Amino acid sequence: MQLDLTNLKIAKSQLLTREYDEKVRQIHKILHSEDHAAGTTWVHWPLNYDKKEFGKIKRLAKHIRENFDALLVVGIGGSYLGAKSGIDMLKKGKGVEVVFAGTSFDYVDLYEKLEHLKDKRVFVNVVSKSGTTVEILSTLSMVENFMKKKYGKDYRKNMVFTTDKNKGYLKKLSSEGFDCLVVPDDMGGRYSVLSAVGLLPFACAGLNIDKIMEGAKAAYNDLLEEKLENNLAYQYAVYRNLVNYKLDKKLEIFSTFSSKLSSFGAWLTQLFDESEGKDKKGLFVSSLVFSTDLHSVGQFIQEGSPILAETFIDVFAPLKNASVKGLRADSPIKFLEGKSFDEINRAAFLGTVKAHSEAGVPIAVLKIDEISEINYGYMVYFFEIACATSSYLQGVNPFNQPGVEQYKSYMKELLKK
Ligand code: PA5
């Protein structure tokens, strides 16, 4: 992975200061301490992940791939976005279909998904670390009825819960005969994609989870360096801090020209917004896929309120031999005849970076050479480290979400009346 800072509105000398270096070294110590109670179990996870559990995930995924048509994953927030991001980026049609539910209270959506699955052999994975999330337990009630109808009294053997090792309602329910996978201790939802939370859906979808963990381990090794000058994730975190405070930007957009990264953008959005958006601080993160979104929000980026910074994830998945052919003589795009879609997409990317940069938008470019399991694992770990560091630089705890808890408790109060 490369971080291209050439379009920054910030000089490298402002980034690599002694003050930031010292701050980052302190953050490095917190992240790499063995005191996992701070919520940092995920930091050493690429090395220390539970190999026995990993084996169980692979065996279960094989069973599901061989005996079922679809995996229905019931999860929300960090218990779903990571899994979806990897599958949407990497799926090549080898595994079973993975359908996500429990992501809202939209009954029509759930009903349509269950209708779609009605004549298929379905295995269910309910994912909830707390085991108490309202969306999940209410969806589970529908899904259990669906599974009972389909498989009779033995339906439980076609379901698995991914939840806390010892506590929570799902764990309690598992004593009725549901098998469980573990969300490790002190690993919050949005940092849990490399545990069973993401790995079971990945393996069911036919992704190579060994390679994903290999990529995460490569990032772990690259980011072991506590010195700001030698650590790209720390540099990127400092860059965000400068964008926020020095350039007074309030928003960061993750932009990509690869549609396969659309859900990865949604995962990034949650990772950063839920980690950093506290105490009236933080850059609000959003994500866009170009050129689609250039035709909707491109105008604002170019000429609207100057509140934005943009981070491009530059990863192309070129399809060989896909080019524009047979244009009519009078076509207004005749100059594209024979050009590959990749070439056109790259020109759109370069043109967009130039235009947005000239409009005063601070731009960082993170480059990945190809879409692959290894790079996916690498990016997940890179952004987790960058996000936690950025949050600590803001002076907030990256691993809680008190604001989300607030809405849940108000909603429950209303529904109990
Ligand atoms: O990142 C987080 O911790 C949250 O987004 C949770 O993943 C989300 O609220 C779902 O929680 P749970 O897994 O407990 O059902």
Side-chain angles (χ1 to χ4, degrees):
M1 188 169 208
Q2 288 174 293
L3 176 61
D4 180 355
L5 305 174
T6 49
N7 285 292
L8 285 183
K9 304 286 179 246
I10 286 165
K12 239 186 161 167
S13 57
Q14 288 173 290
L15 200 119
L16 300 175
T17 61
R18 185 180 298 169
E19 200 192 335
Y20 271 126
D21 187 62
E22 269 160 25
K23 280 187 185 166
V24 154
R25 280 173 200 259
Q26 280 166 20
I27 294 168
H28 183 89
K29 279 202 187 75
I30 301 172
L31 289 177
H32 285 267
S33 80
E34 296 292 333
D35 177 12
H36 292 165
T40 54
T41 302
W42 59 271
V43 174
H44 296 283
W45 193 249
L47 291 190
N48 295 348
Y49 66 92
D50 184 339
K51 311 295 182 299
K52 210 167 143 211
E53 176 91 345
F54 194 77
K56 180 175 171 182
I57 292 168
K58 279 174 134 178
R59 285 191 299 279
L60 178 57
K62 184 168 183 288
H63 167 70
I64 295 169
R65 286 196 311 267
E66 287 173 357
N67 297 287
F68 295 85
D69 304 309
L71 176 74
L72 176 62
V73 179
V74 180
I76 193 165
S79 290
Y80 127 84
L81 284 159
K84 183 153 170 54
S85 75
I87 292 170
D88 287 354
M89 194 188 298
L90 299 161
K91 192 163 164 47
K92 297 174 198 92
K94 279 195 283 183
V96 298
E97 180 188 8
V98 179
V99 176
F100 292 94
T103 56
S104 72
F105 296 111
D106 183 347
Y107 169 76
V108 177
D109 180 61
L110 176 61
Y111 176 81
E112 283 176 3
K113 281 173 180 160
L114 295 180
E115 271 297 294
H116 166 73
L117 294 171
K118 138 172 130 224
D119 300 322
K120 300 189 176 182
R121 297 169 301 163
V122 180
F123 195 96
V124 171
N125 179 204
V126 184
V127 189
S128 177
K129 181 171 169 61
S130 64
T132 55
T133 304
V134 189
E135 285 88 342
I136 302 316
L137 295 182
S138 53
T139 303
L140 175 59
S141 70
M142 294 275 300
V143 168
E144 252 194 295
N145 286 332
F146 170 83
M147 291 297 276
K148 272 183 206 159
K149 224 189 230 169
K150 194 177 258 303
Y151 297 112
K153 62 180 173 34
D154 282 343
Y155 75 96
R156 290 182 186 85
K157 70 178 188 343
N158 297 333
M159 293 178 70
V160 66
F161 295 163
T162 304
T163 192
D164 191 274
K165 192 164 50 183
N166 303 308
K167 53 182 197 291
Y169 182 68
L170 276 188
K171 186 66 202 171
K172 191 170 153 224
L173 204 61
S174 70
S175 64
E176 286 184 7
F178 295 98
D179 194 7
C180 280
L181 294 168
V182 175
V183 186
D185 289 342
D186 302 313
M187 187 186 278
R190 56 195 176 275
Y191 294 84
S192 71
V193 54
L194 300 176
S195 74
V197 172
L199 294 178
L200 181 71
F202 290 162
C204 288
L207 313 191
N208 185 332
I209 59 174
D210 288 298
K211 294 262 180 232
I212 289 176
M213 294 312 290
E214 200 182 313
K217 192 172 163 191
Y220 174 88
N221 288 326
D222 284 355
L223 302 174
L224 261 182
E225 175 64 63
E226 63 175 6
K227 225 172 156 191
L228 177 58
E229 200 180 347
N230 299 331
N231 188 314
L232 271 194
Y234 293 163
Q235 286 179 28
Y236 174 55
V238 168
Y239 158 71
R240 297 183 83 255
N241 196 265
L242 285 165
V243 158
N244 199 173
Y245 291 105
K246 191 142 190 79
L247 301 182
D248 199 28
K249 302 298 174 193
K250 303 294 174 214
L251 253 127
E252 180 187 28
I253 295 171
F254 282 101
S255 304
T256 176
F257 278 78
S258 175
S259 314
K260 282 179 176 288
L261 264 71
S262 165
S263 302
F264 190 71
W267 176 77
L268 283 172
T269 298
Q270 189 220 358
L271 179 68
F272 280 91
D273 288 336
E274 219 167 73
S275 297
E276 203 180 41
K278 287 157 202 165
D279 300 344
K280 313 279 179 220
K281 294 178 188 165
L283 281 171
F284 178 80
V285 162
S286 184
S287 66
L288 299 172
V289 177
F290 293 159
S291 61
T292 311
D293 291 325
L294 284 174
H295 292 260
S296 55
V297 295
Q299 169 62 34
F300 191 104
I301 300 173
Q302 194 72 34
E303 295 181 346
S305 303
I307 53 172
L308 304 167
E310 199 170 17
T311 298
F312 283 88
I313 305 184
D314 178 15
V315 42
F316 282 79
L319 259 187
K320 304 274 175 268
N321 304 326
S323 50
V324 176
K325 277 193 206 113
L327 292 172
R328 287 170 183 75
D330 62 348
S331 169
I333 58 162
K334 191 69 189 155
F335 58 96
L336 292 183
E337 181 70 33
K339 296 239 188 290
S340 74
F341 276 94
D342 183 50
E343 212 178 338
I344 300 168
N345 209 15
R346 176 131 302 261
F349 163 69
L350 293 172
T352 305
V353 168
K354 189 169 188 292
H356 291 180
S357 181
E358 281 173 8
V361 179
I363 289 174
V365 183
L366 288 156
K367 287 181 199 282
I368 286 290
D369 54 3
E370 59 169 354
I371 288 179
S372 67
E373 272 96 340
I374 290 202
N375 281 342
Y376 176 79
Y378 195 104
M379 285 202 288
V380 162
Y381 191 79
F382 175 92
F383 281 114
E384 286 178 348
I385 289 283
C387 176
T389 307
S390 185
S391 305
Y392 278 129
L393 282 172
Q394 296 268 10
V396 301
N397 176 356
F399 308 122
N400 64 4
Q401 53 282 330
V404 185
E405 299 311 323
Q406 200 61 38
Y407 110 84
K408 288 183 195 168
S409 83
Y410 286 154
M411 180 179 76
K412 282 181 195 167
E413 262 173 42
L414 285 168
L415 288 166
K416 278 180 189 166
K417 275 183 189 160

